[in-house]
Amino acid sequence: MKPKITKTKKQKAEKKKKPVLFQNPKGMRDILPDEQMWWNKIRRVVDEVAEIYNFSRIDTPILEDARVFEAGVGASSDIVEKQMFVFKTKGGDRLALRPEGTAPIMRSYFQNSLGRFGQPLKLFYFGPMFRYEQPQAGRARQFHQAGFEIIGDDDAVYDAQIILAVFRLLEKSRIKDLSVRINSIGCRVCRPVYRRKIQDYYKNREERLCRDCRRRLGDNPLRLLDCKNDDCAALKEGAPILLDILCGACRGHFKRVLEFLSEVNVPYILDNYLVRGLDYYNRTVFEIFSDYGEEGKPFFTFALAGGGRYDYLSELIGGRPISAVGAAVGWERVVELMKKNVKPAAGRERSQKVFFVHIGDLAKQKGFGIMETLRQAGIVVSESLGKDLLKAQMRLADKEGAAIALIFGQKEVFEDSIIVRDMRSGAQESVPLKDLVEILKKRLKTSV
Ligand code: HAM
C-alpha cells in the first residue's frame, strides 16, 4: 500500500494562492502599439538628420563595465553616485545598465581603433538608457536617447555643428519655441582658478547650503551652481561668474562657437550657471529647452537635449588625449511635447491598407492563400479571420481606415473572382483573381 502523503498547511495555502498579475518595473514603461507612430517618426527624423549631417550609426551594448562610467562620467556625479543600476554577474564582473551613451562610445573608440574611419569621426546612436531616479512626468528610469558625437577635433565649428544638428532634429520633430542655453566651463588652466574662487565665495555661506552642496564644495564646487534647492539657488546669484575667469584660449573658443551659431541663425541664451551634471565636460556646455506651453507656462521645465565638449574623457577612461564634442536628445520628453502640438498624420500605410473579408469556411481557407500572394507582392493586408459575420468584418475594415475591402464568398470561390470595394466611395466591382495584384497596385497608387 502506498504511503499517504499529507499536505502541510503551508503547501495547501500555496496551492490556493492566485497567480500574481505582474507589473512593469517602476519608471520603465511599455511603448504601446498606438504610440509607435510617434516613435517611428522620431527614428525617421534621427536617421534623416544623421544622414544630412553625415553621422554614422554605432550601437554599443546596453550593459557596460561599471568602471567605464565611474571613471568617465565621474564618481561624484549624480549619475554614478545615485542613479546607476549596478550588479554583479555570476562570473563576478561588475556591470552597469548604461546611464548614458558617450563614455561607452569613447570606450569603443579605443577598443576598436575607430580613429581609422576618419578624423574627426562623426557617430550617432539611438537606444534605451537607465537611471535610478524618482519617476515623474519627463523623468523615467528607462528612457531613450539619440546621441551625436564628433570625435577627434577641438575646432569650435564642431561644437556649433552638434548644436545645429540637434536643434534641427527638434525642429523637424515639430517642437516649438526652442531655446539653446549655453555656457563655457573652461579648461584645465582656468577651471582650477574658478574652483578656488567659488570655494572662497561659499566658505562663509556654507551653513546655508543643502547637504549635497556642502559635500560637493570640496571636490566638485561647480555643481553648486546648478543645485535646484531654493536656498542654494538664491545664494548662487552673488557667486563669481565663470565667463569672467576664462583663459584666453577658452574665451576665444567660446566666441567662435557663438559666431558659428549666429552664422546659421541658431538663437542662444548665455547661461552663467549652466555647468551640467557629468564630470567629463570642458569648455562649451549647452542644453536645449522648449518654452512651448499654455498661459506663459512651459509644459516642460526639463531640458530636451544636453551636451558639450569633452576633451578629457578619453584620458579618464585610459586612452590617449583626444578632443570630442556631442549631445543627446531625450525622446520621452520630446514625444510628450509632440503629442501636444502635432496631429498624428493619417499614416500612409493606413490609407494604403487592404482589408480581406471572407464569407464561409471555404472562402476563409482559400483566402488564406490569396492574402499570402498579396503580401508577397508587397501589399499590406489586414483581416479578421476569427470573425465570420460580414457586418462585423466590414465594421473593422472601416475602423482600421482601409482604402479597399476585398470581399470573398462561396460564389467568388467557384468563379475565381473577388469583389473589390472602394471604402471611401462604396463603389465595388467583381474582378478575376488572376488580375488582383495588378489591380490593387494600380488602385492603391492613386488612392494616396
Ligand atoms: P544628459 O543631459 O544627462 O546628457 O541627458 C541628455 C537628455 O536625456 C536630457 O536632456 C533629457 O532629455 C534626457 N534624459 C536624461 N535623464 C532622463 C530621465 N531620467 N528621463 C527621461 N529623459 C532623460 C547625457 O546623457 C550626455 N551623454 C549627452 C552628451 C552626448 N554629451 C556629450 N555627448
Side-chain angles (χ1 to χ4, degrees):
M1 204 170 84
K2 270 190 190 169
K4 201 173 161 194
I5 302 169
T6 49
K7 285 191 175 144
T8 62
K9 262 190 185 166
K10 197 174 159 204
Q11 282 169 327
K12 279 183 195 161
E14 257 165 25
K15 205 174 166 209
K16 269 193 202 153
K17 234 196 254 167
K18 265 181 137 184
V20 182
L21 207 52
F22 295 106
Q23 303 280 310
N24 56 325
K26 190 173 171 187
M28 302 186 179
R29 48 183 299 276
D30 307 310
I31 302 176
L32 301 176
D34 64 347
E35 294 172 282
Q36 292 293 342
M37 61 188 168
W38 302 106
W39 290 86
N40 288 340
K41 175 160 177 64
I42 282 163
R43 280 186 278 263
R44 275 200 299 270
V45 176
V46 171
D47 283 345
E48 193 186 317
V49 168
E51 196 177 344
I52 293 171
Y53 291 94
N54 203 21
F55 287 79
S56 308
R57 172 130 187 169
I58 183 166
D59 290 294
T60 61
I62 282 168
L63 292 169
E64 285 280 344
D65 187 322
R67 291 171 299 178
V68 170
F69 305 106
E70 287 159 356
V73 178
S76 67
S77 64
D78 275 356
I79 290 182
V80 171
E81 216 172 47
K82 303 179 189 164
Q83 298 170 351
M84 259 199 330
F85 287 89
V86 183
F87 65 94
K88 244 196 179 135
T89 63
K90 286 189 181 131
D93 296 330
R94 263 182 80 247
L95 300 184
L97 276 171
R98 62 178 185 193
E100 61 101 49
T102 310
I105 285 184
M106 199 48 106
R107 190 264 310 139
S108 175
Y109 184 88
F110 289 112
Q111 186 179 343
N112 299 300
S113 310
L114 296 184
R116 68 199 148 99
F117 292 121
Q119 291 281 1
L121 180 63
K122 295 167 73 172
L123 300 171
F124 83 103
Y125 53 94
F126 187 103
M129 306 290 158
F130 304 84
R131 294 184 193 175
Y132 191 82
E133 298 205 71
Q134 205 41 48
Q136 53 174 286
R139 184 175 282 161
R141 290 187 176 171
Q142 177 176 336
F143 57 97
H144 294 75
Q145 280 187 349
F148 293 80
E149 317 285 354
I150 302 181
I151 305 177
D153 206 310
D154 68 353
D155 196 311
V157 73
Y158 292 115
D159 305 45
Q161 194 178 69
I162 282 286
I163 297 172
L164 175 63
V166 171
F167 190 82
R168 292 280 181 255
L169 187 58
L170 292 167
E171 269 186 345
K172 279 179 186 284
S173 309
R174 298 207 246 155
I175 302 301
K176 295 181 191 164
D177 304 334
L178 292 171
S179 71
V180 178
R181 299 192 197 157
I182 191 167
N183 194 16
S184 172
I185 55 168
C187 66
R188 281 174 181 153
V189 176
C190 47
R191 207 159 0 148
V193 180
Y194 183 68
R195 277 171 61 114
R196 276 196 299 279
K197 283 199 182 264
I198 281 275
Q199 282 165 331
D200 286 347
Y201 170 79
Y202 280 107
K203 221 185 286 161
N204 305 327
R205 301 166 174 85
E206 200 172 333
E207 70 290 351
R208 285 152 68 192
L209 292 171
C210 71
R211 201 148 32 113
D212 273 350
C213 282
R214 252 180 268 162
R215 193 167 38 81
R216 282 177 187 145
L217 188 56
D219 57 357
N220 202 349
L222 261 67
R223 292 295 313 284
L224 270 65
L225 297 179
D226 74 355
C227 180
K228 304 289 178 285
N229 176 292
D230 287 346
D231 290 338
C232 301
L235 269 184
K236 79 179 173 196
E237 299 292 328
I241 286 172
L242 231 162
L243 282 184
D244 296 339
I245 292 152
L246 289 184
C247 64
C250 286
R251 191 184 296 271
H253 190 273
F254 193 47
K255 188 166 161 270
R256 291 296 283 154
V257 176
L258 302 182
E259 283 165 358
F260 283 121
L261 287 179
S262 301
E263 192 62 35
V264 285
N265 297 320
V266 170
Y268 57 80
I269 299 166
L270 292 180
D271 182 343
N272 294 323
Y273 301 123
L274 185 68
V275 291
R276 309 259 308 135
L278 299 88
D279 287 2
Y280 52 57
Y281 291 117
N282 65 307
R283 292 194 166 167
T284 317
V285 287
F286 66 92
E287 285 181 340
I288 305 183
F289 291 78
S290 165
D291 300 322
Y292 179 66
E294 274 161 11
E295 293 159 12
K297 248 178 93 185
F299 287 124
F300 261 133
T301 48
F302 290 128
L304 302 179
R309 178 158 282 287
Y310 49 96
D311 295 337
Y312 309 136
L313 172 60
S314 61
E315 292 167 71
L316 292 173
I317 62 162
R320 67 190 157 76
I322 186 150
S323 299
V325 61
V329 179
W331 287 108
E332 273 70 10
R333 294 176 187 179
V334 176
V335 167
E336 281 316 301
L337 280 181
M338 281 170 99
K339 283 182 183 169
K340 288 193 195 299
N341 68 17
V342 182
K343 280 212 170 60
R348 187 182 153 81
E349 299 90 339
R350 222 170 144 73
S351 63
Q352 290 277 292
K353 199 156 54 179
V354 167
F355 196 99
F356 191 92
V357 176
H358 69 281
I359 308 162
D361 255 2
L362 190 57
K364 179 171 170 173
Q365 187 185 324
K366 294 269 174 234
F368 198 59
I370 296 169
M371 280 190 282
E372 185 53 19
T373 309
L374 298 182
R375 285 173 175 148
Q376 288 300 324
I379 295 167
V380 182
V381 190
S382 175
E383 89 297 305
S384 177
L385 292 176
K387 287 193 173 65
D388 287 332
L389 283 179
L390 171 68
K391 222 170 151 184
Q393 294 180 70
M394 288 305 289
R395 215 180 297 132
L396 205 64
D398 193 37
K399 196 169 159 206
E400 286 196 9
I404 290 169
L406 298 174
I407 302 165
F408 196 54
Q410 194 97 329
K411 179 168 173 277
E412 284 73 29
V413 172
F414 290 114
E415 288 178 357
D416 276 335
S417 67
I418 193 160
I419 295 168
V420 177
R421 180 185 173 94
D422 185 310
M423 291 298 284
R424 285 190 193 100
S425 65
Q428 60 183 51
E429 61 171 328
S430 176
V431 305
L433 264 181
K434 65 175 178 32
D435 301 335
L436 184 61
V437 168
E438 210 180 314
I439 291 171
L440 286 180
K441 283 195 163 170
K442 256 191 223 143
R443 291 250 197 136
L444 289 169
K445 219 185 266 170
T446 52
S447 78
V448 201

Short mmCIF file of all heavy atoms in Angstrom, two decimals, residues 282-302:
data_model
loop_
_atom_site.label_atom_id
_atom_site.label_comp_id
_atom_site.label_asym_id
_atom_site.label_seq_id
_atom_site.Cartn_x
_atom_site.Cartn_y
_atom_site.Cartn_z
N ASN A 282 34.31 69.97 -20.68
CA ASN A 282 35.15 71.17 -20.56
C ASN A 282 34.65 72.15 -21.62
O ASN A 282 33.87 71.78 -22.51
CB ASN A 282 36.64 70.84 -20.78
CG ASN A 282 36.91 70.36 -22.19
OD1 ASN A 282 36.27 69.43 -22.68
ND2 ASN A 282 37.86 70.99 -22.86
N ARG A 283 35.04 73.36 -21.54
CA ARG A 283 34.62 74.42 -22.48
C ARG A 283 33.10 74.44 -22.71
O ARG A 283 32.35 74.51 -21.76
CB ARG A 283 35.39 74.27 -23.80
CG ARG A 283 36.87 74.58 -23.61
CD ARG A 283 37.61 74.78 -24.89
NE ARG A 283 38.90 75.40 -24.63
CZ ARG A 283 39.88 75.48 -25.49
NH1 ARG A 283 39.74 74.98 -26.71
NH2 ARG A 283 41.01 76.07 -25.17
N THR A 284 32.64 74.30 -23.96
CA THR A 284 31.22 74.51 -24.25
C THR A 284 30.31 73.49 -23.56
O THR A 284 30.54 72.28 -23.66
CB THR A 284 30.98 74.34 -25.77
OG1 THR A 284 32.02 75.00 -26.47
CG2 THR A 284 29.63 74.87 -26.18
N VAL A 285 29.29 73.99 -22.88
CA VAL A 285 28.19 73.11 -22.41
C VAL A 285 26.88 73.78 -22.83
O VAL A 285 26.81 75.00 -22.90
CB VAL A 285 28.20 72.89 -20.88
CG1 VAL A 285 29.33 71.99 -20.45
CG2 VAL A 285 28.26 74.21 -20.12
N PHE A 286 25.88 72.98 -23.12
CA PHE A 286 24.61 73.57 -23.54
C PHE A 286 23.44 72.64 -23.25
O PHE A 286 23.62 71.42 -23.06
CB PHE A 286 24.63 73.92 -25.04
CG PHE A 286 24.70 72.70 -25.91
CD1 PHE A 286 23.54 72.10 -26.39
CD2 PHE A 286 25.92 72.14 -26.26
CE1 PHE A 286 23.60 70.96 -27.18
CE2 PHE A 286 25.99 71.00 -27.03
CZ PHE A 286 24.83 70.42 -27.50
N GLU A 287 22.27 73.22 -23.18
CA GLU A 287 21.03 72.44 -23.06
C GLU A 287 19.98 73.10 -23.94
O GLU A 287 20.01 74.32 -24.13
CB GLU A 287 20.55 72.40 -21.61
CG GLU A 287 21.40 71.45 -20.78
CD GLU A 287 21.01 71.29 -19.32
OE1 GLU A 287 20.33 72.18 -18.79
OE2 GLU A 287 21.43 70.30 -18.73
N ILE A 288 19.08 72.30 -24.48
CA ILE A 288 18.01 72.87 -25.32
C ILE A 288 16.67 72.61 -24.64
O ILE A 288 16.38 71.49 -24.22
CB ILE A 288 18.04 72.28 -26.74
CG1 ILE A 288 19.44 72.49 -27.36
CG2 ILE A 288 16.96 72.94 -27.61
CD1 ILE A 288 19.57 72.03 -28.79
N PHE A 289 15.89 73.67 -24.54
CA PHE A 289 14.57 73.62 -23.89
C PHE A 289 13.50 73.99 -24.90
O PHE A 289 13.79 74.59 -25.93
CB PHE A 289 14.50 74.64 -22.74
CG PHE A 289 15.40 74.29 -21.57
CD1 PHE A 289 16.77 74.53 -21.63
CD2 PHE A 289 14.88 73.72 -20.43
CE1 PHE A 289 17.60 74.21 -20.57
CE2 PHE A 289 15.70 73.40 -19.36
CZ PHE A 289 17.06 73.64 -19.43
N SER A 290 12.25 73.66 -24.55
CA SER A 290 11.14 74.22 -25.31
C SER A 290 10.32 75.06 -24.35
O SER A 290 9.92 74.59 -23.27
CB SER A 290 10.26 73.11 -25.89
OG SER A 290 9.04 73.67 -26.32
N ASP A 291 10.07 76.31 -24.74
CA ASP A 291 9.26 77.18 -23.88
C ASP A 291 7.79 77.08 -24.24
O ASP A 291 6.96 77.84 -23.74
CB ASP A 291 9.74 78.64 -24.00
CG ASP A 291 11.19 78.78 -23.59
OD1 ASP A 291 11.57 78.08 -22.63
OD2 ASP A 291 11.95 79.53 -24.22
N TYR A 292 7.47 76.12 -25.12
CA TYR A 292 6.09 75.94 -25.57
C TYR A 292 5.19 75.53 -24.40
O TYR A 292 5.56 74.67 -23.61
CB TYR A 292 6.06 74.87 -26.66
CG TYR A 292 4.70 74.57 -27.20
CD1 TYR A 292 3.99 75.53 -27.91
CD2 TYR A 292 4.12 73.32 -27.01
CE1 TYR A 292 2.73 75.25 -28.41
CE2 TYR A 292 2.87 73.03 -27.51
CZ TYR A 292 2.18 74.00 -28.21
OH TYR A 292 0.94 73.72 -28.70
N GLY A 293 4.05 76.17 -24.29
CA GLY A 293 3.14 75.82 -23.21
C GLY A 293 1.86 76.59 -23.31
O GLY A 293 1.51 77.10 -24.39
N GLU A 294 1.17 76.68 -22.21
CA GLU A 294 -0.09 77.43 -22.18
C GLU A 294 -0.03 78.50 -21.11
O GLU A 294 0.57 78.28 -20.05
CB GLU A 294 -1.26 76.47 -21.88
CG GLU A 294 -1.78 75.83 -23.14
CD GLU A 294 -2.59 74.58 -22.84
OE1 GLU A 294 -2.92 74.32 -21.68
OE2 GLU A 294 -2.86 73.85 -23.82
N GLU A 295 -0.65 79.65 -21.39
CA GLU A 295 -0.68 80.78 -20.46
C GLU A 295 0.70 81.12 -19.92
O GLU A 295 0.90 81.28 -18.71
CB GLU A 295 -1.65 80.49 -19.30
CG GLU A 295 -3.09 80.43 -19.77
CD GLU A 295 -3.98 79.68 -18.79
OE1 GLU A 295 -3.53 79.42 -17.68
OE2 GLU A 295 -5.11 79.38 -19.19
N GLY A 296 1.66 81.17 -20.83
CA GLY A 296 3.01 81.58 -20.46
C GLY A 296 3.78 80.57 -19.62
O GLY A 296 4.88 80.83 -19.18
N LYS A 297 3.17 79.37 -19.42
CA LYS A 297 3.87 78.36 -18.60
C LYS A 297 4.31 77.21 -19.51
O LYS A 297 3.46 76.57 -20.14
CB LYS A 297 2.90 77.81 -17.55
CG LYS A 297 3.31 78.22 -16.13
CD LYS A 297 2.34 77.73 -15.12
CE LYS A 297 2.76 76.39 -14.54
NZ LYS A 297 1.73 75.88 -13.63
N PRO A 298 5.63 76.95 -19.60
CA PRO A 298 6.05 75.85 -20.47
C PRO A 298 5.55 74.51 -19.94
O PRO A 298 5.44 74.32 -18.73
CB PRO A 298 7.58 75.90 -20.42
CG PRO A 298 7.96 76.98 -19.49
CD PRO A 298 6.74 77.62 -18.93
N PHE A 299 5.22 73.57 -20.87
CA PHE A 299 4.79 72.24 -20.45
C PHE A 299 5.91 71.53 -19.71
O PHE A 299 5.69 70.76 -18.80
CB PHE A 299 4.37 71.41 -21.67
CG PHE A 299 3.06 71.84 -22.25
CD1 PHE A 299 2.97 72.20 -23.59
CD2 PHE A 299 1.93 71.89 -21.47
CE1 PHE A 299 1.76 72.59 -24.12
CE2 PHE A 299 0.72 72.27 -21.99
CZ PHE A 299 0.63 72.63 -23.32
N PHE A 300 7.15 71.80 -20.17
CA PHE A 300 8.28 71.10 -19.59
C PHE A 300 9.33 72.07 -19.10
O PHE A 300 9.75 72.95 -19.85
CB PHE A 300 8.96 70.23 -20.64
CG PHE A 300 8.55 68.81 -20.55
CD1 PHE A 300 8.19 68.11 -21.67
CD2 PHE A 300 8.56 68.16 -19.33
CE1 PHE A 300 7.82 66.79 -21.59
CE2 PHE A 300 8.19 66.84 -19.23
CZ PHE A 300 7.81 66.16 -20.36
N THR A 301 9.77 71.91 -17.88
CA THR A 301 10.88 72.75 -17.43
C THR A 301 12.19 71.98 -17.59
O THR A 301 13.27 72.52 -17.42
CB THR A 301 10.70 73.16 -15.95
OG1 THR A 301 10.38 71.99 -15.22
CG2 THR A 301 9.59 74.19 -15.80
N PHE A 302 12.10 70.69 -17.92
CA PHE A 302 13.29 69.88 -18.15
C PHE A 302 13.91 70.18 -19.52
O PHE A 302 13.19 70.55 -20.45
CB PHE A 302 12.93 68.40 -18.18
CG PHE A 302 12.53 67.83 -16.86
CD1 PHE A 302 11.34 67.14 -16.73
CD2 PHE A 302 13.35 67.97 -15.76
CE1 PHE A 302 10.97 66.59 -15.53
CE2 PHE A 302 12.98 67.41 -14.54
CZ PHE A 302 11.79 66.72 -14.43
#
